[in-house]
Amino acid sequence: MNKKQPVYLKLFETISHAILDGKYKDGDLLPSVRAFASTQGANPLTVAKAYQLFQDRGLVTVKRGVGLFVANGAVQKLRNAERQNFIDNSWPEISKHMHRIGIELSDLIEQEG
Amino acid sequence: MNKKQPVYLKLFETISHAILDGKYKDGDLLPSVRAFASTQGANPLTVAKAYQLFQDRGLVTVKRGVGLFVANGAVQKLRNAERQNFIDNSWPEISKHMHRIGIELSDLIEQEG
DNA sequence: TGCACTGTATTATGGCACTGATGCACTATG
DNA sequence: CATAGTGCATCAGTGCCATAATACAGTGCA
């Protein structure tokens, strides 16, 4: 239903996925605000807004004048947070919706192959 | 991540659920714009906007000056559309996300009891 | 020291979606 | 015809988002 997402949230997801997929590990230097903005075709301030979300969660360490680094233990921390959020928030509603429209978990398993 | 939903989409969901749950069947008269707005604490125009979505999908029949009626076969049509949308759009992304954060379907089955 | 690179703060602007108030067109009823 | 109930179109206000132009502060290196 709702597919439209603000750019800064899309960027946040892009970076999150990169971290979860192992592209950036603990201590790694993230792309600079301006560089990442350039590759993504976005505004530097929008990228900064996305990075700000990581700072708010303590997932990156800022070295002013140098760049942003993936904080110690951030990869695991991010994965745990995502898992907890999925279990607590996303899944219950998904499960409800599935039940309402008559789709069971067993109907989905076969597609995993 | 994104929990905020416009009021008119919430109303759309509320009505959809009522129809899927059998509260309104084919041919039934839906609550009037003003009446539903009153019970939901919303603006009549916002309700009208939600109802508009049903018209766009051909799920309701408008009798100007009388009210909106659930169209013929709309219940089944709505259920099928929701199922198809879930299978084609929602589930693939959910599945991807689950795989990314390391949650398998089998991890969720036991909570269904 | 000078330079080029980092992130950040400020202010302003335009666009867009959502919401709200009013009034109009239509219909059933008496 | 009169009335009260429908849905609906038009206009305006609000807030979030994205972008922009600058300026500032910190760092690494020649």
Side-chain angles (χ1 to χ4, degrees):
Chain A
M1 186 64 63
N2 43 334
K3 264 205 162 182
K4 292 178 183 175
Q5 248 199 137
V7 176
Y8 79 100
L9 285 183
K10 285 186 193 171
L11 295 174
F12 177 82
E13 273 199 1
T14 299
I15 303 160
S16 289
H17 291 176
I19 294 178
L20 289 176
D21 292 348
K23 183 169 182 181
Y24 301 111
K25 305 187 195 306
D26 289 5
D28 282 2
L29 175 64
L30 290 170
S32 78
V33 168
R34 292 172 179 82
F36 192 58
S38 176
T39 64
Q40 295 291 323
N43 190 282
L45 278 86
T46 307
V47 175
K49 192 170 182 179
Y51 275 158
Q52 184 63 43
L53 295 177
F54 286 96
Q55 294 185 49
D56 297 341
R57 289 162 175 70
L59 295 171
V60 300
T61 308
V62 183
K63 288 193 183 176
R64 204 178 173 94
V66 182
L68 286 91
F69 297 83
V70 179
N72 232 341
V75 176
Q76 192 63 28
K77 189 175 178 181
L78 176 60
R79 175 171 285 109
N80 287 343
E82 294 271 357
R83 290 166 70 116
Q84 204 60 37
N85 179 63
F86 181 82
I87 298 291
D88 295 345
N89 300 32
S90 304
W91 181 247
E93 297 190 9
I94 295 171
S95 181
K96 263 187 211 167
H97 186 245
M98 282 174 55
H99 183 260
R100 193 184 302 276
I101 62 181
I103 294 182
E104 299 299 329
L105 270 182
S106 51
D107 302 334
L108 301 169
I109 292 180
E110 300 159 9
Q111 308 185 355
E112 297 295 310
Chain B
M1 186 65 63
N2 42 335
K3 264 208 160 183
K4 292 178 185 175
Q5 248 201 134
V7 175
Y8 78 99
L9 285 183
K10 285 185 192 171
L11 295 174
F12 177 83
E13 274 199 0
T14 300
I15 303 161
S16 290
H17 291 176
I19 293 178
L20 288 177
D21 291 348
K23 185 170 181 180
Y24 301 111
K25 305 186 194 307
D26 290 4
D28 281 2
L29 175 64
L30 290 170
S32 78
V33 169
R34 292 172 177 80
F36 191 58
S38 174
T39 63
Q40 295 292 324
N43 190 282
L45 278 86
T46 307
V47 175
K49 193 170 183 179
Y51 275 160
Q52 184 64 41
L53 296 177
F54 286 97
Q55 294 184 48
D56 298 341
R57 288 161 175 72
L59 296 172
V60 299
T61 309
V62 183
K63 288 192 184 178
R64 203 178 174 95
V66 182
L68 288 90
F69 296 84
V70 179
N72 231 341
V75 176
Q76 191 63 28
K77 190 175 178 182
L78 176 61
R79 175 171 284 110
N80 287 343
E82 293 272 357
R83 290 168 71 116
Q84 205 61 37
N85 178 65
F86 181 81
I87 298 292
D88 295 346
N89 300 40
S90 304
W91 181 247
E93 296 190 11
I94 295 170
S95 181
K96 262 186 213 167
H97 186 245
M98 282 174 56
H99 182 260
R100 194 185 302 276
I101 62 181
I103 294 183
E104 299 299 330
L105 271 181
S106 52
D107 301 333
L108 301 169
I109 293 180
E110 300 158 9
Q111 308 185 353
E112 297 296 311

